[in-house]
Amino acid sequence: VTTNIEVLSKPPVQYTSEARQLGIQGDVVLRVTFTAAGHVVVQSVLHGLGHGLDEEARRVAQQIRFRPATRNGQPVDSTTTITITFQLA
């Protein structure tokens, strides 16, 4: 029996002043590992936006709270891609 990770919460994104002034919007795609111990390890940025938003996406990803994936009732590491969306109001 296996279960996928369950995201419990993630912080809101913060725009850098440069990105806000330039009106940059879009997605930063990250390759991450959700560890059995409850940590998020950012492996790489697969698609970035620059202007400080890639770093902000990393920060947000590292603060995601989640329930780890399990296999046979035991927590296991799970590597996947996640998308952090930046959208101006």
Side-chain angles (χ1 to χ4, degrees), residues 14-77:
Q14 303 290 319
Y15 259 86
T16 62
S17 56
E18 178 184 357
R20 184 179 301 282
Q21 286 172 344
L22 294 172
I24 294 173
Q25 299 187 94
D27 296 331
V28 175
V29 181
L30 304 173
R31 183 144 184 88
V32 301
T33 299
F34 293 96
T35 71
H39 302 287
V40 180
V41 179
V42 178
Q43 306 291 344
S44 62
V45 177
L46 300 178
H47 173 75
L49 294 172
H51 306 285
L53 298 181
D54 300 354
E55 293 79 4
E56 173 61 10
R58 282 178 177 270
R59 184 192 70 78
V60 167
Q62 290 170 339
Q63 293 184 16
I64 292 173
R65 297 290 164 247
F66 66 96
R67 191 168 289 126
T70 61
R71 186 176 301 122
N72 297 325
Q74 298 300 310
V76 293
D77 291 356

